[in-house]
């Protein structure tokens, strides 16, 4: 997915994701090449009482649809 800097600012200005911070990574593809990407991660893990099971279920469904490894999908809580 490609977003403009303005689209990223708009997306991550919403209260529910405001605590996420950008992190540049290199994605390794099956052919051995790499692609730079920008991810957004929480600096601190959420507290146990901040669990959102509906969101986690949607994220697991998306991860399965993308063909991500089963152990990764099962670790989404």
């Amino acid at each position: 997915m490609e977003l403009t800097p303005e689209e990223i600012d708009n997306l991550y200005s919403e209260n529910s994701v405001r605590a996420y911070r950008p992190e540049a990574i290199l994605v390794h593809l099956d052919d051995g090449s790499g692609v730079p990407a920008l991810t957004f991660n929480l600096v601190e893990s959420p507290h146990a009482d901040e669990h959102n099971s509906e969101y986690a279920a949607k994220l697991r469904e998306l991860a399965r649809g993308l063909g991500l490894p089963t152990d990764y999908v099962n670790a989404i809580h």
Side-chain angles (χ1 to χ4, degrees):
M1 173 183 284
E2 292 185 27
L3 299 173
T4 67
E6 294 80 19
E7 290 169 326
I8 292 171
D9 288 344
N10 285 337
L11 180 64
Y12 284 94
S13 67
E14 190 169 315
N15 283 337
S16 64
V17 292
R18 190 171 290 170
Y20 285 75
R21 296 294 174 252
E23 181 178 348
I25 64 168
L26 183 63
V27 177
H28 299 277
L29 304 179
D30 289 340
D31 67 4
S33 64
V35 177
L38 189 62
T39 64
F40 285 80
N41 301 299
L42 286 171
V43 175
E44 294 183 28
S45 296
H47 296 97
D49 62 341
E50 294 178 309
H51 179 76
N52 184 331
S53 58
E54 182 180 332
Y55 176 77
K58 289 179 182 180
L59 191 56
R60 281 191 305 273
E61 182 179 330
L62 174 64
R64 275 190 210 98
L66 292 171
L68 296 178
T70 303
D71 58 337
Y72 175 80
V73 174
N74 292 340
I76 299 172
H77 300 297

